[in-house]
Amino acid sequence: MNPSNTKAPVSKFAALAAGTSVIAVLAAIAAPAFAENAPWVAPASAAAKKNPFSGSAQAAASGKQIYMTTCAPCHGATGRGDGPAAAALNPKPANYTTKAIAAESDGSLFWKLSEGRGAMVPFKTAYSEKQRWELITYIRTLQGKK
Ligand code: HEC
């Protein structure tokens, strides 16, 4: 048996896996408008989860790095839901500075970020639990800005 035949094409597969989250985001941008304007409410058990990095400047800085590349195109650099991709979306990307979202628990925002709805794709496989909490920690800093 020729040993070169048993070599698995690992690098090709890894590249494919890394590309899927980008494809998912692009597909969501191109998707037609979703008719999901009903209130979006996290399950009580998820909403009650505590953010282990709440208020940490270091966590917010890590979250910011992901936010600026992945989230800002839709949610805007200052979190007002006015990124360049927002114009084509209905419902619009959330404006984090609204009273309603400021009043939501970290657990609720974490659950929505993880599960997604419509154009807001689920991010639970793209980012680790730690990274998702860091993103929520960063979003909280945007709410403080006027
Ligand atoms: C393709 C555009 C798009 C991208 C990219 C995107 N979002 Fe969203 N996001 C949306 C839309 C649209 C909604 C509103 C969905 C709805 O209400 O059905 C939303 C809603 C949310 C909500 C729920 C707000 C609430 O309380 O109702 C959170 C939290 C959120 N996004 C976080 C993020 C984070 C963090 C990222 C980056 C990792 C991100 N989003 C990337 C479009 C996007």
Side-chain angles (χ1 to χ4, degrees), residues 70-71 74-75 91 93-94 96 104 109 112-113 117 119-120 123:
T70 309
C71 321
C74 287
H75 288 279
Y96 305 133
E104 268 186 70
L109 296 175
K112 291 180 180 183
L113 165 64
R117 185 171 88 160
M120 174 64 199
F123 282 98

Side-chain angles (χ1 to χ4, degrees), residues 6 8 20 32 34 36 56 112 132:
T6 61
T20 46
F34 282 81
E36 294 194 39
S56 156
K112 291 180 180 183
R132 280 174 278 144

Side-chain angles (χ1 to χ4, degrees), residues 9-65:
V10 173
S11 61
K12 200 174 176 190
F13 179 76
L16 194 71
T20 46
S21 64
V22 176
I23 291 166
V25 170
L26 293 177
I29 291 168
F34 282 81
E36 294 194 39
N37 291 309
W40 190 15
V41 183
S45 58
K49 267 196 174 179
K50 297 278 173 264
N51 181 351
F53 304 101
S54 185
S56 156
Q58 200 187 340
S62 302
K64 182 178 184 178
Q65 286 193 345

